Amino acid sequence: MNNRRIWFRLGGVLAAAAVCTGGAAVVSDRAQEAKNVQRAFLGAMETQMQIGCYPSETGSPADLTERERTELQTAYTSRVEQYYTEENPCRKRYIALNEDFLTAYDSDVEYSFDSVRLYADRMTAVVQAQTVVWDKRISGNPEQGFSVELPVDRDTITATMKKENGVWKLDSIDSQISLSAAVSADDEVCRERYPTFETARQAADSIDDQAYIKEARFA
């Protein structure tokens, strides 16, 4: 579960809200700016998904040294600051959540962009996107045992991006999440209760990722 694969399908249409007819150079410049917005949006989405993703053998940051926890938190804080504006309330919340999150993730994501609209001042943009997230997730605790979950989330997103010190960042987001039932890639694995995180991870690793992703895509 350490090798995390992210699948990007950038199949959408890039469109500018203000039409410019000043020549090929202007069109090319706006297209590049739209790509910059896309990259910043993807970075913000990835940052959100990485909350609490500690490289721990037990699934808990408790077995990490204080130095390791500090380095992980510092790196995550820097990432949040890179992709979220100072006015975005998620900025502080994600940093705080990252300190407490104890559930392990190994997610695959598919992004389909409908459009990126640049405002005339090129300081604000609106991204409309569709996302499908299929997780291989372990949850639980040593007292009650651990379980393997395979949820599928579908999300319709409208995000406002703003330039802050010359860098595109996520300022606000509106989404409509549709949570699909867990796919049946391996019902037996998901029904089982595991005594340790290690045994749950072994069970999760036994699930064929490609078969799971294929089924989740059309679930």
Side-chain angles (χ1 to χ4, degrees), residues 88-168:
N88 192 326
C90 292
R91 183 163 165 148
K92 290 183 178 180
R93 185 159 63 91
Y94 287 172
I95 292 173
L97 282 173
N98 191 59
E99 296 180 350
D100 303 325
F101 210 81
L102 300 179
T103 303
Y105 287 108
D106 185 15
S107 305
D108 289 283
V109 188
E110 178 177 310
Y111 297 93
S112 174
F113 286 93
D114 296 328
S115 67
V116 176
R117 302 198 311 274
L118 295 174
Y119 283 59
D121 62 0
R122 300 197 186 185
M123 297 297 290
T124 306
V126 175
V127 173
Q128 292 181 317
Q130 305 286 328
T131 69
V132 180
V133 180
W134 43 93
D135 282 351
K136 182 186 290 184
R137 182 181 302 174
I138 297 173
S139 62
N141 56 63
E143 288 73 28
Q144 298 179 340
F146 296 86
S147 62
V148 177
E149 301 168 358
L150 302 173
V152 179
D153 294 303
R154 302 176 187 278
D155 203 350
T156 300
I157 294 174
T158 300
T160 300
M161 309 291 292
K162 290 188 177 181
K163 261 191 177 179
E164 192 173 82
N165 299 320
V167 179
W168 285 106

Side-chain angles (χ1 to χ4, degrees), residues 202-218:
Q202 290 172 2
D205 287 341
S206 72
I207 297 174
D208 187 317
D209 287 348
Q210 295 305 315
Y212 167 43
I213 291 170
K214 182 178 180 180
E215 185 172 356
R217 186 189 300 270
F218 300 105

Side-chain angles (χ1 to χ4, degrees), residues 46-115:
E46 279 295 283
T47 299
Q48 179 189 29
M49 291 183 62
Q50 288 174 359
I51 296 174
C53 289
Y54 298 99
S56 165
E57 291 300 319
T58 64
S60 168
D63 65 332
L64 302 174
T65 66
E66 183 176 352
R67 179 178 178 179
E68 288 172 331
R69 289 196 296 271
T70 299
E71 290 177 348
L72 286 168
Q73 184 65 8
T74 298
Y76 186 78
T77 298
S78 296
R79 187 173 176 86
V80 172
E81 292 174 347
Q82 176 183 356
Y83 290 113
Y84 290 80
T85 64
E86 293 183 3
E87 299 299 321
N88 192 326
C90 292
R91 183 163 165 148
K92 290 183 178 180
R93 185 159 63 91
Y94 287 172
I95 292 173
L97 282 173
N98 191 59
E99 296 180 350
D100 303 325
F101 210 81
L102 300 179
T103 303
Y105 287 108
D106 185 15
S107 305
D108 289 283
V109 188
E110 178 177 310
Y111 297 93
S112 174
F113 286 93
D114 296 328
S115 67

